[in-house]
Short mmCIF file of all heavy atoms in Angstrom, two decimals:
data_model
loop_
_atom_site.label_atom_id
_atom_site.label_comp_id
_atom_site.label_asym_id
_atom_site.label_seq_id
_atom_site.Cartn_x
_atom_site.Cartn_y
_atom_site.Cartn_z
N LEU A 716 -169.90 -84.27 -187.66
CA LEU A 716 -170.44 -84.98 -188.81
C LEU A 716 -170.78 -86.42 -188.45
O LEU A 716 -169.95 -87.15 -187.91
CB LEU A 716 -169.41 -84.97 -189.96
CG LEU A 716 -169.79 -85.72 -191.23
CD1 LEU A 716 -170.97 -85.04 -191.92
CD2 LEU A 716 -168.60 -85.81 -192.18
N VAL A 717 -172.01 -86.80 -188.69
CA VAL A 717 -172.42 -88.17 -188.43
C VAL A 717 -171.75 -89.08 -189.46
O VAL A 717 -171.79 -88.81 -190.66
CB VAL A 717 -173.96 -88.30 -188.55
CG1 VAL A 717 -174.38 -89.76 -188.37
CG2 VAL A 717 -174.64 -87.40 -187.54
N PRO A 718 -171.08 -90.13 -189.00
CA PRO A 718 -170.39 -91.02 -189.95
C PRO A 718 -171.34 -91.52 -191.04
O PRO A 718 -172.47 -91.93 -190.77
CB PRO A 718 -169.89 -92.17 -189.07
CG PRO A 718 -169.78 -91.57 -187.71
CD PRO A 718 -170.88 -90.57 -187.61
N GLY A 719 -170.91 -91.44 -192.23
CA GLY A 719 -171.69 -91.88 -193.37
C GLY A 719 -170.78 -91.95 -194.58
O GLY A 719 -169.60 -91.61 -194.50
N GLN A 720 -171.32 -92.38 -195.67
CA GLN A 720 -170.50 -92.51 -196.87
C GLN A 720 -170.34 -91.17 -197.58
O GLN A 720 -171.32 -90.48 -197.87
CB GLN A 720 -171.11 -93.53 -197.83
CG GLN A 720 -170.97 -94.96 -197.35
CD GLN A 720 -171.37 -95.95 -198.42
OE1 GLN A 720 -172.26 -95.69 -199.21
NE2 GLN A 720 -170.69 -97.09 -198.47
N ILE A 721 -169.10 -90.81 -197.83
CA ILE A 721 -168.79 -89.64 -198.63
C ILE A 721 -168.65 -90.10 -200.08
O ILE A 721 -167.82 -90.97 -200.39
CB ILE A 721 -167.50 -88.95 -198.14
CG1 ILE A 721 -167.74 -88.35 -196.75
CG2 ILE A 721 -167.04 -87.87 -199.13
CD1 ILE A 721 -166.53 -87.70 -196.12
N ARG A 722 -169.47 -89.56 -200.95
CA ARG A 722 -169.50 -90.00 -202.35
C ARG A 722 -168.43 -89.26 -203.14
O ARG A 722 -168.37 -88.03 -203.16
CB ARG A 722 -170.88 -89.75 -202.96
CG ARG A 722 -171.98 -90.57 -202.30
CD ARG A 722 -173.34 -90.24 -202.89
NE ARG A 722 -173.49 -90.76 -204.24
CZ ARG A 722 -173.93 -91.98 -204.54
NH1 ARG A 722 -174.24 -92.83 -203.55
NH2 ARG A 722 -174.08 -92.37 -205.78
N ILE A 723 -167.60 -90.06 -203.81
CA ILE A 723 -166.54 -89.52 -204.66
C ILE A 723 -166.88 -89.88 -206.10
O ILE A 723 -166.95 -91.06 -206.46
CB ILE A 723 -165.17 -90.11 -204.26
CG1 ILE A 723 -164.88 -89.83 -202.79
CG2 ILE A 723 -164.05 -89.54 -205.15
CD1 ILE A 723 -163.67 -90.60 -202.25
N LEU A 724 -167.10 -88.89 -206.92
CA LEU A 724 -167.53 -89.09 -208.29
C LEU A 724 -166.34 -89.02 -209.24
O LEU A 724 -165.52 -88.10 -209.15
CB LEU A 724 -168.56 -88.01 -208.67
CG LEU A 724 -169.06 -88.01 -210.11
CD1 LEU A 724 -169.91 -89.25 -210.40
CD2 LEU A 724 -169.87 -86.73 -210.38
N THR A 725 -166.24 -89.99 -210.14
CA THR A 725 -165.19 -89.98 -211.15
C THR A 725 -165.79 -90.39 -212.50
O THR A 725 -166.86 -90.97 -212.57
CB THR A 725 -164.02 -90.94 -210.83
OG1 THR A 725 -164.37 -92.28 -211.21
CG2 THR A 725 -163.65 -90.91 -209.36
N SER A 726 -165.03 -90.11 -213.56
CA SER A 726 -165.35 -90.68 -214.86
C SER A 726 -164.81 -92.11 -214.88
O SER A 726 -164.26 -92.60 -213.90
CB SER A 726 -164.73 -89.84 -215.97
OG SER A 726 -163.32 -90.01 -215.97
N MET A 727 -164.91 -92.76 -216.04
CA MET A 727 -164.37 -94.11 -216.18
C MET A 727 -162.88 -94.11 -216.50
O MET A 727 -162.28 -95.18 -216.62
CB MET A 727 -165.13 -94.85 -217.29
CG MET A 727 -166.62 -95.01 -217.03
SD MET A 727 -167.00 -95.93 -215.53
CE MET A 727 -166.41 -97.56 -216.00
N ASP A 728 -162.29 -92.94 -216.65
CA ASP A 728 -160.86 -92.86 -216.92
C ASP A 728 -160.10 -93.57 -215.80
O ASP A 728 -160.32 -93.27 -214.62
CB ASP A 728 -160.42 -91.40 -217.00
CG ASP A 728 -158.97 -91.23 -217.43
OD1 ASP A 728 -158.08 -91.76 -216.73
OD2 ASP A 728 -158.71 -90.56 -218.45
N PRO A 729 -159.23 -94.53 -216.12
CA PRO A 729 -158.54 -95.29 -215.07
C PRO A 729 -157.78 -94.41 -214.09
O PRO A 729 -157.76 -94.71 -212.88
CB PRO A 729 -157.58 -96.20 -215.86
CG PRO A 729 -158.23 -96.36 -217.20
CD PRO A 729 -158.91 -95.05 -217.48
N LYS A 730 -157.17 -93.34 -214.55
CA LYS A 730 -156.43 -92.46 -213.65
C LYS A 730 -157.36 -91.81 -212.65
O LYS A 730 -157.05 -91.69 -211.46
CB LYS A 730 -155.68 -91.40 -214.46
CG LYS A 730 -154.67 -91.96 -215.44
CD LYS A 730 -153.98 -90.88 -216.23
CE LYS A 730 -154.93 -90.10 -217.11
NZ LYS A 730 -155.59 -90.91 -218.15
N HIS A 731 -158.50 -91.34 -213.13
CA HIS A 731 -159.46 -90.70 -212.25
C HIS A 731 -159.98 -91.69 -211.20
O HIS A 731 -160.13 -91.34 -210.02
CB HIS A 731 -160.63 -90.16 -213.07
CG HIS A 731 -160.26 -89.07 -214.02
ND1 HIS A 731 -161.19 -88.26 -214.63
CD2 HIS A 731 -159.05 -88.65 -214.48
CE1 HIS A 731 -160.59 -87.39 -215.42
NE2 HIS A 731 -159.29 -87.62 -215.35
N LYS A 732 -160.27 -92.91 -211.63
CA LYS A 732 -160.76 -93.92 -210.70
C LYS A 732 -159.72 -94.26 -209.65
O LYS A 732 -160.04 -94.42 -208.46
CB LYS A 732 -161.18 -95.16 -211.47
CG LYS A 732 -162.40 -94.94 -212.37
CD LYS A 732 -162.57 -96.02 -213.41
CE LYS A 732 -162.93 -97.36 -212.82
NZ LYS A 732 -163.19 -98.37 -213.88
N GLU A 733 -158.46 -94.37 -210.06
CA GLU A 733 -157.39 -94.67 -209.10
C GLU A 733 -157.24 -93.56 -208.08
O GLU A 733 -157.06 -93.83 -206.87
CB GLU A 733 -156.08 -94.89 -209.86
CG GLU A 733 -156.04 -96.18 -210.66
CD GLU A 733 -154.92 -96.22 -211.68
OE1 GLU A 733 -154.37 -95.14 -212.02
OE2 GLU A 733 -154.60 -97.31 -212.15
N LEU A 734 -157.31 -92.32 -208.53
CA LEU A 734 -157.21 -91.20 -207.60
C LEU A 734 -158.41 -91.19 -206.65
O LEU A 734 -158.26 -90.94 -205.44
CB LEU A 734 -157.13 -89.88 -208.37
CG LEU A 734 -155.83 -89.65 -209.15
CD1 LEU A 734 -155.98 -88.50 -210.13
CD2 LEU A 734 -154.66 -89.38 -208.20
N GLY A 735 -159.60 -91.47 -207.17
CA GLY A 735 -160.77 -91.54 -206.31
C GLY A 735 -160.66 -92.63 -205.26
O GLY A 735 -161.02 -92.43 -204.10
N GLU A 736 -160.15 -93.79 -205.66
CA GLU A 736 -159.98 -94.89 -204.71
C GLU A 736 -158.92 -94.57 -203.66
O GLU A 736 -159.04 -94.97 -202.50
CB GLU A 736 -159.62 -96.17 -205.45
CG GLU A 736 -160.75 -96.78 -206.25
CD GLU A 736 -161.87 -97.33 -205.38
OE1 GLU A 736 -161.69 -97.39 -204.13
OE2 GLU A 736 -162.92 -97.69 -205.93
N ALA A 737 -157.88 -93.86 -204.05
CA ALA A 737 -156.85 -93.49 -203.07
C ALA A 737 -157.44 -92.58 -201.99
O ALA A 737 -157.15 -92.74 -200.80
CB ALA A 737 -155.69 -92.80 -203.78
N LEU A 738 -158.28 -91.63 -202.40
CA LEU A 738 -158.93 -90.77 -201.42
C LEU A 738 -159.90 -91.56 -200.56
O LEU A 738 -159.97 -91.37 -199.34
CB LEU A 738 -159.66 -89.62 -202.14
CG LEU A 738 -160.41 -88.65 -201.23
CD1 LEU A 738 -159.48 -88.01 -200.21
CD2 LEU A 738 -161.12 -87.58 -202.06
N ALA A 739 -160.66 -92.46 -201.19
CA ALA A 739 -161.61 -93.28 -200.42
C ALA A 739 -160.89 -94.12 -199.38
O ALA A 739 -161.36 -94.26 -198.24
CB ALA A 739 -162.40 -94.18 -201.37
N GLY A 740 -159.74 -94.67 -199.74
CA GLY A 740 -158.97 -95.46 -198.77
C GLY A 740 -158.55 -94.63 -197.58
O GLY A 740 -158.60 -95.09 -196.43
N GLY A 741 -158.12 -93.39 -197.83
CA GLY A 741 -157.74 -92.51 -196.73
C GLY A 741 -158.91 -92.14 -195.84
O GLY A 741 -158.76 -92.03 -194.62
N LEU A 742 -160.07 -91.95 -196.44
CA LEU A 742 -161.26 -91.65 -195.64
C LEU A 742 -161.63 -92.83 -194.76
O LEU A 742 -162.02 -92.66 -193.59
CB LEU A 742 -162.43 -91.30 -196.57
CG LEU A 742 -162.38 -89.89 -197.19
CD1 LEU A 742 -163.32 -89.79 -198.39
CD2 LEU A 742 -162.75 -88.84 -196.14
N ARG A 743 -161.49 -94.04 -195.29
CA ARG A 743 -161.78 -95.22 -194.48
C ARG A 743 -160.77 -95.37 -193.34
O ARG A 743 -161.13 -95.79 -192.24
CB ARG A 743 -161.80 -96.46 -195.37
CG ARG A 743 -162.93 -96.44 -196.40
CD ARG A 743 -162.93 -97.67 -197.29
NE ARG A 743 -163.82 -97.46 -198.44
CZ ARG A 743 -163.45 -97.49 -199.70
NH1 ARG A 743 -162.18 -97.75 -200.01
NH2 ARG A 743 -164.31 -97.27 -200.67
N ASP A 744 -159.52 -95.01 -193.62
CA ASP A 744 -158.51 -95.02 -192.55
C ASP A 744 -158.91 -94.09 -191.41
O ASP A 744 -158.59 -94.34 -190.24
CB ASP A 744 -157.14 -94.59 -193.09
CG ASP A 744 -156.52 -95.62 -194.03
OD1 ASP A 744 -156.97 -96.78 -194.01
OD2 ASP A 744 -155.60 -95.26 -194.77
#
């Protein structure tokens, strides 16, 4: 896989956004 941005879609619900950001942080790691 060529490095690129993996898009994580969430609603505006704060819980959903927090979970999305946690996954995004792991992908960046």
Side-chain angles (χ1 to χ4, degrees):
L716 178 67
V717 177
Q720 287 190 326
I721 293 177
R722 296 177 71 89
I723 303 169
L724 176 67
T725 81
S726 71
M727 299 300 292
D728 186 302
K730 300 179 297 297
H731 295 195
K732 293 164 68 176
E733 289 165 342
L734 291 166
E736 288 292 351
L738 178 58
L742 284 163
R743 295 179 193 120
D744 290 343

